[in-house]
Amino acid sequence: MAPLRPSLLVTLGAFMTLITTAASEPALQIVQIEKTPNGFTSPPRGWNSFGIQANSDTTPGFSFNQTSIISQCDVLAKTTSLKDAGYVYCSLDSGWSVGGNGDEYGRIIYDTSVFDIPSLADHLHGEGLLLGIYVVPGAFNADKEKTILGTNVTIGSVCSGDNGLARCNFDYSQPAVQQWHNSVVDQFASWGVDLIKFDYVTPGSPSNGASLPADSSSEVIAYHRAIAQSGRKIRLDISWKLDRSQKYFDIWESNADSMRTDQDINNGGKPTFVSWQVVQRAIDNYRQYVTTVMQYNTTLTVYPDMDNLYVGNPASVSGVTDDERQTIMTHWLGAGANLIIGSDLTNLDDFGLHLLTNSGAIAVADFTAHHPMQPRNPGSGNNSSQQLQAWVAGPDASGSAVVVIANYGPDQNQGGFGTSLSGKQTVDVSWADLGIDGTFDVHDVWANKDLGAESSGLSVQLDEGQSVLYKLTRS
């Protein structure tokens, strides 16, 4: 995508109008993210297996076993630009563990036909990487007669029913339930686990195909407490499309390190990873998320998880154009979201590697880890869904900010904005729209080009699916 040059938005006469209308623009409430419950100050960067598992035609020859996982994650270790950019998590999705029962104490165990988790952890740690694994709620129905480690309590006396995942539902009023979680996480810690992805959490997880209880938030608390007592630093990432009401958001951000803002975005079962239609939905779900939770508190302690990043492979495999790949990366960066690659790491193209490792883009990720972006509609400063959209992250204490301007193209029925403007569009964004003022030096991150000082706003021409990513520094 060619660099897009912003231009001064206003003449002197228009400047008087801008000042007049500025008073009606909503004031900017700066959103910040501070240390998470398990002690992290940035979202994770790395790779997760789910996209390839669910879209096997994208990655011929891949099997979900230790050999294939190592072949993927060794790319993180041996590609200097990826490792230097902080992509260190190698995260296994569903299928690494035995699916119908636990060990003699009902603890989750790895499937020895495909994985040796301690040896995998040793390999990854030896390469400077970290290990993530996947869990779902409850203990196994088949384990109800087993006794929880360190207790005389059977699993069946504190866990009943069937959640549709071959597991029962815990009674969290019983102390032994926490002891079960402690025993599970202690074993994970002994294996060398560094991240737990906890899926099927409710309220949330819509259209899950299971029989989940309406509220499993107590299990998020139980996993957090188990991590805290384990003596190992472990991230907790909870999923998916979780309830955003204040009651539950307070639980999520008090116990988890990141939380999914949408459903899965991959093209399940297809030969490409993702579609632009679903990306439009994911971006709008982040918009809904951030504009909701910032009403409770503008200082947050949990990172957004917008799902895996499917930008690393050629457009024919990714399923979106190169412009759209860049726009995806731009929005995940701007949101301060998890940067967990879902692409085939053995088939990265030059453009994909550039998107994932560009030093200016990684500097933006470092910035938005503390100041995530929020929407500011061009022309009004409101936060509704728009085809032509602007976002601002910060400013921080020094006055620096990040600005994203996008043309999402016609709404493909999930974008939330409902308009169908076709072709190139001019997007005018004033400082008043963004809620900022003063003179800023503007740097185009992807073009790595300084665009000079601007004192009133930006104007860019964007085709469908295009966006720009700017770093603003006070002049």
Side-chain angles (χ1 to χ4, degrees):
M1 177 176 159
L4 299 163
R5 174 70 168 95
S7 61
L8 281 173
L9 183 63
V10 293
T11 62
L12 182 59
F15 182 68
M16 298 305 293
T17 303
L18 178 64
I19 292 297
T20 302
T21 60
S24 65
E25 303 277 3
L28 179 66
Q29 294 180 290
I30 299 171
V31 184
Q32 301 180 74
I33 304 178
E34 295 187 342
K35 186 182 292 186
T36 68
N38 294 307
F40 295 93
T41 56
S42 63
R45 300 174 193 168
W47 176 85
N48 173 265
S49 63
F50 179 74
I52 295 177
Q53 290 177 255
N55 303 75
S56 57
D57 288 346
T58 62
T59 313
F62 178 89
S63 297
F64 189 55
N65 58 35
Q66 189 144 322
T67 300
S68 287
I69 292 298
I70 287 174
S71 71
Q72 290 285 328
C73 291
D74 275 1
V75 176
L76 298 178
K78 299 183 186 308
T79 306
T80 302
S81 59
L82 283 168
K83 196 170 184 181
D84 288 350
Y87 294 95
V88 295
Y89 284 91
C90 176
S91 179
L92 310 181
D93 216 88
S94 178
W96 68 272
S97 58
V98 173
N101 62 273
D103 66 6
E104 66 268 35
Y105 302 109
R107 298 178 296 181
I108 301 167
I109 52 176
Y110 53 90
D111 182 347
T112 57
S113 71
V114 283
F115 286 103
D116 179 343
I117 293 298
S119 72
L120 177 59
D122 287 345
H123 174 84
L124 295 174
H125 294 158
E127 296 288 347
L129 303 178
L130 301 171
L131 173 63
I133 59 173
Y134 172 100
V135 300
V136 298
F140 287 108
N141 288 319
D143 292 340
K144 285 184 177 180
E145 301 304 316
K146 296 177 180 178
T147 300
I148 296 170
L149 181 66
T151 77
N152 295 316
V153 178
T154 62
I155 288 172
S157 68
V158 295
C159 195
S160 61
D162 188 334
N163 68 9
L165 302 171
R167 294 163 174 84
C168 50
N169 302 310
F170 280 119
D171 175 358
Y172 292 95
S173 69
Q174 301 298 316
V177 171
Q178 185 61 55
Q179 291 171 278
W180 181 87
H181 286 83
N182 291 355
S183 72
V184 167
V185 173
D186 285 346
Q187 182 154 267
F188 290 170
S190 74
W191 295 341
V193 169
D194 304 291
L195 179 150
I196 298 170
K197 177 182 174 181
F198 180 27
D199 207 5
Y200 285 88
V201 175
T202 58
S205 304
S207 305
N208 54 68
S211 302
L212 302 177
D215 184 353
S216 61
S217 61
S218 292
E219 194 151 3
V220 176
I221 298 170
Y223 268 111
H224 169 59
R225 290 174 175 168
I227 289 169
Q229 64 81 51
S230 73
R232 185 172 182 84
K233 194 165 188 178
I234 300 175
R235 287 185 186 264
L236 181 59
D237 179 23
I238 58 174
S239 188
W240 73 88
K241 197 177 181 181
L242 295 157
D243 189 297
R244 301 169 188 145
S245 66
Q246 185 164 9
K247 173 184 175 180
Y248 289 103
F249 182 72
D250 287 350
I251 295 172
W252 312 145
E253 77 158 350
S254 297
N255 293 279
D257 302 294
S258 51
M259 59 175 283
R260 275 280 291 277
T261 57
D262 195 8
Q263 302 179 70
D264 295 342
I265 69 169
N266 64 292
N267 289 332
K270 296 185 179 179
T272 57
F273 278 114
V274 74
S275 69
W276 186 244
Q277 177 187 46
V278 175
V279 171
Q280 287 184 344
R281 185 195 75 198
I283 291 170
D284 192 53
N285 266 282
Y286 172 73
R287 180 196 64 82
Q288 295 173 37
Y289 162 82
V290 73
T291 58
T292 297
V293 302
M294 64 184 286
Q295 296 177 52
Y296 314 143
N297 193 340
T298 54
T299 300
L300 311 176
T301 56
V302 67
Y303 288 102
D305 177 356
M306 295 173 68
D307 203 7
N308 292 343
L309 265 171
Y310 298 108
V311 301
N313 300 137
S316 60
V317 178
S318 293
V320 287
T321 68
D322 285 352
D323 281 342
E324 291 164 349
R325 289 166 70 191
Q326 182 168 303
T327 291
I328 292 170
M329 190 70 195
T330 293
H331 283 72
W332 266 238
L333 290 166
N338 292 5
L339 299 182
I340 300 294
I341 305 163
S343 308
D344 175 8
L345 293 178
T346 68
N347 186 34
L348 298 177
D349 66 358
D350 290 343
F351 186 61
L353 189 62
H354 166 72
L355 292 177
L356 292 166
T357 63
N358 177 281
S359 59
I362 294 303
V364 167
D366 293 339
F367 180 92
T368 58
H370 304 286
H371 295 88
M373 71 181 186
Q374 59 182 289
R376 300 283 297 191
N377 299 157
S380 71
N382 293 326
N383 60 20
S384 62
S385 183
Q386 300 282 339
Q387 178 178 339
L388 308 180
Q389 184 67 288
W391 305 76
V392 64
D396 67 3
S398 72
S400 296
V402 168
V403 171
V404 172
I405 306 173
N407 173 9
Y408 301 122
D411 193 325
Q412 298 184 20
N413 300 318
Q414 297 190 50
F417 47 85
T419 57
S420 299
L421 302 174
S422 61
K424 283 190 177 180
Q425 302 292 325
T426 299
V427 189
D428 297 327
V429 184
S430 71
W431 283 177
D433 294 340
L434 297 175
I436 60 178
D437 58 23
T439 302
F440 294 87
D441 294 323
V442 180
H443 181 75
D444 184 325
V445 173
W446 292 120
N448 191 25
K449 183 177 181 181
D450 292 324
L451 303 178
E454 300 286 357
S455 59
S456 54
L458 303 164
S459 181
V460 295
Q461 276 203 327
L462 297 172
D463 212 338
E464 297 173 18
Q466 287 187 335
S467 61
V468 287
L469 175 62
Y470 294 140
K471 182 68 184 292
L472 273 56
T473 307
R474 272 202 194 282
S475 298

